[in-house]
């Protein structure tokens, strides 16, 4: 079932969290919608394509997708790109580090002149007059990694950062829930994130943003100022794979 993360009557953010099939890594996909135009975030692999395209068409025609944002290069993020390139005219947005890998996900000619290479320092994307901000999150876990901040919804989409495995909650709304939730996040972050210095760098950027919700690509999200702050503090103090 699609979950509405934000709706002010004009601008909406939607989370799809039940489309991955048995045997696949459970993942969330996201859509930002305004004026019947859309941005798709981390749409996932081939097996998700047909169902996700049906789901998003309830909000905006797939032909009106402007961007497909890939937080990093993993297959559960963008392996289904071929179908999206065929069905839409959307631009693919991904770290400049990974643009040369795009042809591995699709027929090369489909991607010609349709890839926006995000420089290491990040950039803004104009979406129907709003500036979606691509926030550097390198080595969290990929060396070329971006988070997307939607300043209208005040949502930071964090890709794999904050990923949790089979958590009992979909939405963490209190400090008590956050403490309970740490056990579902810690294994992934201890192994996949290479070093705490990347975490501290990210936390210092995240603290400058006005965030109401942090939404990872796997598992539960964090809603409200206190859980958001608790999450940033937790990331700031993490010890990772190499220290
Ligand atoms: Fe990943």
């Amino acid at each position: 079932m699609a979950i509405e993360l934000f709706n002010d009557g004009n601008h909406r953010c939607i989370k799809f969290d039940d489309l991955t099939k048995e045997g696949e890594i459970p993942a969330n996909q996201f859509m930002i919608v305004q004026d019947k135009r859309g941005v798709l975030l981390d749409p996932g692999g081939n097996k998700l394509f047909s169902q996700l395209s049906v789901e998003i068409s309830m909000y905006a025609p797939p032909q009106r997708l402007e961007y497909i944002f890939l937080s990093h290069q993993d297959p559960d993020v963008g392996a289904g790109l071929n179908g999206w390139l065929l069905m839409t005219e959307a631009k693919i947005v991904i770290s400049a580090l990974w643009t040369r890998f795009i042809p591995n996900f699709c027929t090369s000619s489909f991607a010609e002149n349709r890839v926006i290479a995000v420089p290491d320092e990040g950039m803004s994307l104009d979406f129907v007059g709003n500036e979606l901000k691509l926030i550097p999150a390198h080595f969290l876990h990929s060396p070329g990694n971006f988070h997307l901040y939607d300043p209208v919804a005040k949502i930071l989409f964090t890709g794999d950062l904050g990923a949790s495995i089979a958590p009992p909650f979909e939405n963490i709304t209190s400090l008590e829930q956050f403490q309970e939730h740490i056990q579902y996040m810690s294994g992934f972050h201890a192994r996949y994130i290479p070093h705490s210095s990347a975490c501290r760098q990210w936390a210092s950027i995240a603290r400058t943003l006005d965030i109401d919700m942090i939404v990872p690509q796997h598992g539960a999200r964090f809603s409200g100022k206190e859980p958001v702050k608790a999450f940033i503090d937790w990331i700031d103090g993490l010890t990772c794979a190499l220290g």
Side-chain angles (χ1 to χ4, degrees), residues 90-144:
K91 294 267 200 307
I92 308 304
V93 182
I94 190 168
S95 160
L97 211 60
W98 297 122
T99 49
R100 67 197 173 92
F101 288 70
I102 293 288
N104 290 58
F105 283 160
C106 63
T107 304
S108 301
S109 59
F110 290 180
E112 260 170 41
N113 303 317
R114 292 178 63 182
V115 179
I116 297 176
V118 185
D120 271 353
E121 65 272 22
M123 61 182 280
S124 291
L125 279 181
D126 177 74
F127 173 59
V128 285
N130 304 305
E131 297 235 313
L132 303 177
K133 295 197 183 318
L134 306 184
I135 308 292
H138 306 309
F139 299 101
L140 297 171
H141 63 94
S142 167

Side-chain angles (χ1 to χ4, degrees), residues 71-77 140-142 145 159-160 188 192 217-218:
S71 58
H72 62 297
Q73 84 291 358
D74 274 352
D76 63 324
V77 168
L140 297 171
H141 63 94
S142 167
N145 200 123
D160 278 338
F188 171 82
Y192 278 76
Q217 191 211 349
H218 306 279

Side-chain angles (χ1 to χ4, degrees), residues 40-91:
L40 201 54
L41 281 66
D42 292 348
N46 276 315
K47 291 177 186 166
L48 285 186
F49 170 72
S50 43
Q51 186 60 32
L52 185 58
S53 57
V54 170
E55 295 276 343
I56 69 162
S57 62
M58 295 177 199
Y59 300 92
Q63 295 76 12
R64 313 258 335 244
L65 278 183
E66 300 215 344
Y67 305 108
I68 296 172
F69 168 71
L70 307 181
S71 58
H72 62 297
Q73 84 291 358
D74 274 352
D76 63 324
V77 168
L81 217 48
N82 211 50
W84 295 108
L85 284 166
L86 202 58
M87 176 188 256
T88 76
E89 290 178 5
K91 294 267 200 307

Side-chain angles (χ1 to χ4, degrees), residues 14-34:
I14 313 293
K15 172 186 181 183
F16 306 95
D17 70 347
D18 59 355
L19 303 182
T20 37
K21 305 283 186 305
E22 215 181 314
E24 292 181 289
I25 295 171
N28 307 316
Q29 303 78 42
F30 308 101
M31 187 184 193
I32 301 172
V33 194
Q34 189 175 323

